[in-house]
Amino acid sequence: MTLNILFAARPERWAIYEPPLRAALDAAGIKAHLATEIAPAKVDYIVYAPNSPLQDFTPYTRAKAVLNLWAGVEQITGNTTLRIPLARMVDPGLTKGMVEWVTGHVMRYHLGLDTDILNTGTEWKPRTPPLAQERKVTVLGMGALGCAVAQTLVSLGFDVAGWSRSQKDIPSVACFHGNEGLNQALGRSEIAVLLLPDTPSTENTINAKTLAAMPDGAFIINPGRGPLIEDDALLAALDSGKIAHATLDVFRTEPLPATHPYWAHPKVTVTPHIAAETRATTASQVIVENIRRGEAGEEYLHLVDRALGY
Ligand code: NAP
C-alpha cells in the first residue's frame, strides 16, 4: 500500500525536507506518495508546521496523525478542527542545538566574559574565574530540552536544579515541581534558563513576585517562549539591578518590534529566535518512525496532551 503524506509548511521548507524525508521513508521500507499538494480526503499523514497555510483540518477525513515539525505547539493546540493525534517534534539535532546555545550563554554569565570582551582600555586587572561547582543554575521546564540542558550543565560541574509540572528524580539535579516548588527553584537560581512551553499555566511564570524570589544580581536566559516573562516586571527588575542581565531569544511579538525597550536596554541581549532549529535529517527519522508506529498500530512518540497544551 502507498501512503499519501502531505508536507504542509512554508514553501521554502520543501526543498530542505523532501530529500531526507524520502531517504527516511525508503530506509524504513515505507512506500509513500510525499507531496505538498494531495487531495485532502486522500491524505494519510500530515507533516506540519504551524505557520503553514493549512489551518482547517476538517477536509482531511482519512488522516491518522499530524506530525509537527516544531517543538512548540501553542499555535495549534487550540485548533478545534484538529481531532486526530498531534505529535510534537523531539529531534536529537534540535536538542543538540539548544544544549549548545544555552551552554554558551550560561558560560558567558558564569565566567563574566563581557568584562574582557567589552574592555577596550588598557586596564590589567587579574581575577580568579569561578568554578562551575560554585554556580547555581536552575532550568525551568525539564522536558526533552530542559533535561538535556541540565544534564550537560551537570557534566560541566554546575550545581543544577530543575523545575517541572510533575515530580522528577534526575541524577545530580535538585528537582522541584508544581507551584509550590517554583520559588524554591528560583530562590537558588543565580542563572535561570526558561525551557517551558507556552501554555495558559506557564504564562508570566517570571513576574514581579517570582523575580523577587531570585537572588540579587541573577541572570535570566529565555529560549522558551516570550509569554513566559511578564516584560514590564523584567524591565523593572533589570533597572533596579535585581536582575543583572537577560538574554532573550523569544518574544510575545516576533520579530521584536523596533520600538521595544528590550532592543536598546544595556542589560538585555536580544537574539532573533535562533536558539535551536529542527534539523531536517534527524527530524525526518523521527517523523518516519511515527508513521511506522501509526501503521503498526503502536503508540505515537511525543504525543501532545491537548488539555495541558504541550
Ligand atoms: P517538553 O518536552 O514538552 O517539556 C516541557 C517541560 O515543561 C516539561 O518538563 C513540563 O513538565 C514543563 N511544564 C509544562 N507546564 C508546566 C507548568 N505549568 N509548571 C511547571 N512545569 C511545566 O518541551 P521541550 O521539547 O523541552 O521544549 C520546551 C519549549 O522550548 C518548547 O515548548 C518551545 O516553546 C521551546 N523551544 C524554543 C526553541 C527556540 O529556538 N527558541 C526551539 C525549540 C523549542 P512535566 O515534565 O512535568 O510534563
Side-chain angles (χ1 to χ4, degrees):
M1 192 184 80
T2 299
L3 294 174
N4 289 321
I5 303 174
L6 178 70
F7 184 84
R10 286 264 171 89
E12 70 275 9
R13 309 309 285 172
W14 177 235
I16 299 167
Y17 276 93
E18 186 193 0
L21 275 172
R22 288 198 190 286
L25 287 162
D26 286 349
I30 296 173
K31 275 194 194 162
H33 169 56
L34 173 68
T36 53
E37 280 181 32
I38 301 174
K42 293 191 171 164
V43 170
D44 294 299
Y45 291 93
I46 305 174
V47 179
Y48 187 72
N51 64 355
S52 98
L54 199 178
Q55 297 297 325
D56 180 5
F57 293 91
T58 317
Y60 295 85
T61 45
R62 183 166 115 181
K64 295 170 198 163
V66 170
L67 308 171
N68 206 42
L69 289 165
W70 302 358
V73 289
E74 69 278 3
Q75 288 181 38
I76 182 177
T77 47
N79 188 327
T80 51
T81 68
L82 179 60
R83 298 200 183 88
I84 53 176
L86 167 67
R88 54 188 211 88
M89 179 50 67
V90 176
D91 160 33
L94 180 143
T95 303
K96 274 187 193 163
M98 184 61 83
V99 167
E100 291 180 20
W101 188 89
V102 171
T103 304
H105 287 282
V106 166
M107 282 302 187
R108 171 192 179 190
Y109 289 142
H110 167 60
L111 294 174
L113 296 180
D114 286 13
T115 309
D116 304 310
I117 293 167
L118 303 177
N119 178 13
T120 53
T122 56
E123 194 183 16
W124 182 266
K125 205 174 156 197
R127 62 186 192 282
T128 306
L131 289 175
Q133 67 201 40
E134 297 155 12
R135 183 75 64 195
K136 291 180 159 56
V137 184
T138 294
V139 182
L140 302 187
M142 289 295 283
L145 299 177
C147 268
V149 162
Q151 278 159 353
T152 297
L153 294 175
V154 164
S155 76
L156 291 169
F158 285 99
D159 182 350
V160 180
W163 181 69
S164 49
R165 190 181 51 81
S166 58
Q167 193 169 354
K168 298 214 184 303
D169 183 7
I170 301 167
S172 305
V173 176
C175 293
F176 299 93
H177 71 280
N179 290 341
E180 60 293 349
L182 179 58
N183 279 2
Q184 282 173 282
L186 284 176
R188 46 91 73 211
S189 158
E190 293 170 271
I191 303 175
V193 179
L194 312 187
L195 275 168
L196 294 160
D198 174 10
T199 73
S201 57
T202 61
E203 186 169 10
N204 294 332
T205 295
I206 299 299
N207 56 44
K209 260 193 185 165
T210 52
L211 285 163
M214 294 179 71
D216 291 344
F219 300 97
I220 291 179
I221 300 172
N222 185 15
R225 282 292 184 262
L228 301 177
I229 295 179
E230 196 179 317
D231 294 323
D232 288 344
L234 176 58
L235 286 163
L238 288 162
D239 290 339
S240 74
K242 174 73 187 172
I243 299 298
H245 202 278
T247 294
L248 309 174
D249 185 56
V250 284
F251 305 91
R252 286 170 192 267
T253 306
E254 294 182 6
L256 184 65
T259 51
H260 198 285
Y262 282 149
W263 278 118
H265 202 290
K267 295 180 181 173
V268 175
T269 294
V270 169
T271 60
H273 200 144
I274 47 142
E277 199 178 316
T278 305
R279 307 288 161 156
T281 304
T282 42
S284 295
Q285 288 159 6
V286 176
I287 283 167
V288 170
E289 168 60 10
N290 255 342
I291 292 171
R292 187 202 66 73
R293 284 173 173 251
E295 292 310 291
E298 296 172 22
E299 199 176 321
Y300 293 106
L301 296 172
H302 319 307
L303 272 184
V304 173
D305 182 327
R306 306 280 298 278
L308 289 173
Y310 70 98

